């Protein structure tokens, strides 16, 4: 197999998933993240009227939160949600940016974006050293109805995976990439039942 053939498709959802659930990642302050993990659900303080971004990629989350070291992102959560909810969000999502090959015109995209309770963004996937990889990872933004459903209906469990993040990071810094890789979540291709916005597009 050639090196190019080994590169995954540009737009492919990879996630830890079962027949009923999908695991996504977020990072919060301890004052919010720890109660969520303790109770297995988001507390009342979690703002259901604001957009929240969920990430199926553990390593993209590590890039975003600096392995749980960035201010306000010290508690890394693995949120297990129903596949039904995840698929609903995908089916009601719009791309977060305009693309001429995807949208008929900018005005149509803006109208659809305002109406959509979810938005899709494809960002470069990361390796264990948080370097960019030549393919992309899904971020899914939830607002309005989608955010409320996420917090109060779709969530099955919430786990604090900050210790895991720290363990993997320590191994990477010590040069133990093989051991670190063995601890990563088993993220496999997710068989989305709907066409995800931007799937066929190729952003630079």
């Amino acid at each position: 197999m050639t090196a190019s053939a080994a590169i995954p498709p540009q737009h492919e959802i990879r996630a830890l998933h079962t027949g009923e659930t999908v695991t996504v990642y977020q990072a919060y302050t301890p004052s919010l993240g720890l109660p969520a993990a303790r109770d297995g659900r988001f507390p009342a303080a979690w703002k259901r009227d604001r957009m929240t971004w969920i990430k199926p990629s553990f390593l993209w989350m590590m890039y975003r939160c600096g392995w749980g070291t960035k201010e306000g992102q010290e508690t890394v959560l693995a949120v297990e949600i129903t596949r039904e909810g995840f698929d609903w969000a995908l089916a009601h999502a719009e791309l977060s940016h305009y693309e001429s090959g995807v949208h008929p015109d900018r005005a149509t995209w803006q109208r659809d974006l305002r109406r959509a309770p979810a938005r899709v963004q494809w960002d470069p996937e990361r390796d264990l050293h948080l370097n960019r990889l030549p393919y992309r990872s899904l971020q899914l933004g939830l607002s309005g109805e989608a955010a409320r459903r996420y917090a109060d209906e779709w969530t099955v469990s919430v786990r604090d995976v900050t210790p895991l993040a720290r363990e993997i990071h320590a191994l990477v810094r010590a040069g133990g990439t093989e051991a670190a890789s063995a601890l990563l979540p088993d993220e496999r291709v997710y068989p989305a039942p709907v066409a995800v916005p931007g799937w066929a597009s190729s952003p630079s």
Side-chain angles (χ1 to χ4, degrees):
M1 180 181 293
T2 65
S4 60
I7 298 174
Q10 276 284 301
H11 303 90
E12 182 177 72
I13 300 173
R14 292 168 297 278
L16 175 64
H17 63 274
T18 70
E20 293 77 36
T21 64
V22 181
T23 296
V24 297
Y25 301 93
Q26 296 192 290
Y28 292 102
T29 62
S31 62
L32 199 155
L34 293 178
R38 180 194 65 214
D39 300 334
R41 65 188 305 275
F42 289 101
W46 193 88
K47 297 185 183 299
R48 287 152 173 80
D49 57 348
R50 293 176 57 183
M51 175 164 286
T52 189
W53 289 87
I54 59 177
K55 304 159 184 67
S57 166
F58 179 82
L59 284 176
W60 206 96
M61 184 71 257
M62 295 306 100
Y63 165 73
R64 181 67 179 84
C65 71
W67 298 99
T69 62
K70 291 185 179 179
E71 184 177 358
Q73 301 184 62
E74 299 92 343
T75 303
V76 184
L77 301 179
V79 185
E80 193 177 17
I81 64 174
T82 64
R83 284 181 65 153
E84 181 181 6
F86 188 69
D87 292 345
W88 185 94
L90 293 175
H92 292 81
E94 180 54 84
L95 267 180
S96 63
H97 61 280
Y98 170 73
E99 285 192 22
S100 58
V102 176
H103 308 103
D105 53 66
R106 189 175 294 273
T108 300
W109 164 73
Q110 290 175 332
R111 181 198 66 205
D112 292 344
L113 186 66
R114 285 194 299 268
R115 296 175 177 175
R119 56 187 59 182
V120 162
Q121 188 166 306
W122 297 96
D123 295 293
E125 181 61 286
R126 303 285 161 165
D127 64 15
L128 275 167
H129 300 281
L130 306 185
N131 298 316
R132 290 170 61 125
L133 291 171
Y135 52 93
R136 293 179 178 259
S137 179
L138 174 75
Q139 277 200 84
L140 191 58
L142 309 175
S143 63
E145 181 182 1
R148 292 189 295 272
R149 288 190 176 200
Y150 170 67
D152 300 322
E153 298 177 21
W154 302 343
T155 298
V156 174
S157 69
V158 182
R159 293 181 293 115
D160 180 359
V161 292
T162 313
L164 174 64
R166 290 174 178 163
E167 182 179 4
I168 294 175
H169 189 204
L171 286 168
V172 172
R173 286 184 297 176
T177 54
E178 186 174 340
S181 181
L183 294 177
L184 291 173
D186 180 20
E187 294 171 5
R188 295 169 287 110
V189 176
Y190 180 75
V194 296
V196 181
W199 200 293
S201 61
S202 299
S204 58

